[in-house]
């Protein structure tokens, strides 16, 4: 069962709120202090990506974030409803996949002020040891988790 | 915390002081400042990030965009940063190979002076 569920409209200002809520619940759930920066950044990246996708495709639709404390893990799921068919193409140059074999510095000439959607996901992949990305024509779901206290609650 | 921006020029080097959080909400303000500085002929920029609490890929995009603009004028955009939490995102993305990153403004100014 989700500890907290939050929906917010696709406004950049709300991403900070989502980050703050996620970090507070991660701390409460017993995630180590040394990991809280990673949680904050990864949740921010996932929410920023979702906000930008919604602003492009469906600005009136809300973004959903679920924060759970199941089985000694702190789990965050960010779900949007913007089509994400291009996700694989966005990711491949940065990940050395079929779209390109080179790293970010070699891709410098292709970068712009707004890095690709895949760049944010690449950052998340570098931060969380457990990440799953489910792109689809109906939206994207990013699930990530970190180790938490076994009883799910930080000692007072 | 919101984003505070300030800048000054010393010996052809424009030092941009950044304080607070650089994210999808605040990054456009930094982008506007960098564009404005370049449009006014400041092609050697040093962004001091010692007081930055948070940086995400949107902020990285703005810095990369600034670097592209100054390079078009044979300029430079370098960073001052010693905070591990900020440096980590540069490492994860491989951008430590793209930006010159210094431990202090003085160190960056010294290196800039040598390169002139």
């Amino acid at each position: 069962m989700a500890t907290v569920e939050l929906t917010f409209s696709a406004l950049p200002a709300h991403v900070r709120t989502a980050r703050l809520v996620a970090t507070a619940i991660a701390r409460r759930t017993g995630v180590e202090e040394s990991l809280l920066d990673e949680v904050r950044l990864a949740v921010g990246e996932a929410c920023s990506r979702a906000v930008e996708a919604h602003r492009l495709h469906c600005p009136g639709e809300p973004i959903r974030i679920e924060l759970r404390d199941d089985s000694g893990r702190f789990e965050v799921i960010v779900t949007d409803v913007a089509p994400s068919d291009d996700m694989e193409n966005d990711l491949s140059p940065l990940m050395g996949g079929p779209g390109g074999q080179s790293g970010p510095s070699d891709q410098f000439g292709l970068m712009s002020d707004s890095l690709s959607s895949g760049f944010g996901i690449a950052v998340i992949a570098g931060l969380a040891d457990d990440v799953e990305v489910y792109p689809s024509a109906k939206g994207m779901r990013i699930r990530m988790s970190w180790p938490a206290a076994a009883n799910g609650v930080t000692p007072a | 915390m919101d984003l505070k921006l300030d800048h000054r020029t010393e010996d052809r080097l424009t030092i941009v002081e950044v304080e607070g959080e650089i994210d999808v909400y605040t990054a456009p303000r930094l982008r506007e400042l960098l564009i404005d500085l370049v449009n006014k002929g400041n092609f050697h920029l040093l962004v001091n990030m010692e007081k930055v609490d948070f940086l995400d890929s949107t902020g990285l995009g703005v810095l990369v965009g600034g670097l592209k603009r100054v390079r078009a004028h044979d300029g430079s955009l370098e960073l001052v940063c010693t905070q591990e939490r900020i440096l980590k995102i540069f490492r994860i993305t491989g951008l430590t190979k793209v930006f010159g990153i210094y431990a202090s403004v003085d160190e960056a100014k010294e290196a800039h002076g040598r390169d002139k």
Side-chain angles (χ1 to χ4, degrees), chain A residues 51-73:
Chain A
V51 165
E52 294 195 349
H54 272 223
R55 284 163 69 84
L56 197 62
H57 295 286
C58 49
E61 294 293 326
I63 292 151
R64 193 174 80 197
I65 176 168
E66 298 161 64
L67 306 128
R68 303 172 190 269
D69 61 349
D70 292 339
S71 310
R73 303 281 300 180

Side-chain angles (χ1 to χ4, degrees), chain A residues 4-99:
Chain A
V4 172
E5 285 188 20
L6 179 71
T7 58
F8 59 95
S9 52
L11 295 173
H14 294 332
V15 173
R16 181 171 186 264
T17 305
R19 281 201 311 265
L20 292 172
V21 170
T23 309
I25 294 173
R27 182 178 281 118
R28 166 79 181 150
T29 304
V31 174
E32 274 185 31
E33 285 291 320
S34 61
L35 294 176
L36 293 179
D37 275 338
E38 296 182 9
V39 172
R40 185 165 72 135
L41 182 51
V43 171
E45 291 290 350
C47 292
S48 295
R49 197 215 63 81
V51 165
E52 294 195 349
H54 272 223
R55 284 163 69 84
L56 197 62
H57 295 286
C58 49
E61 294 293 326
I63 292 151
R64 193 174 80 197
I65 176 168
E66 298 161 64
L67 306 128
R68 303 172 190 269
D69 61 349
D70 292 339
S71 310
R73 303 281 300 180
F74 172 63
E75 185 179 72
V76 181
I77 300 170
V78 178
T79 308
D80 69 66
V81 294
S84 53
D85 292 343
D86 294 337
M87 200 293 246
E88 205 168 314
N89 293 334
D90 282 348
L91 270 178
S92 53
L94 290 162
M95 297 299 210

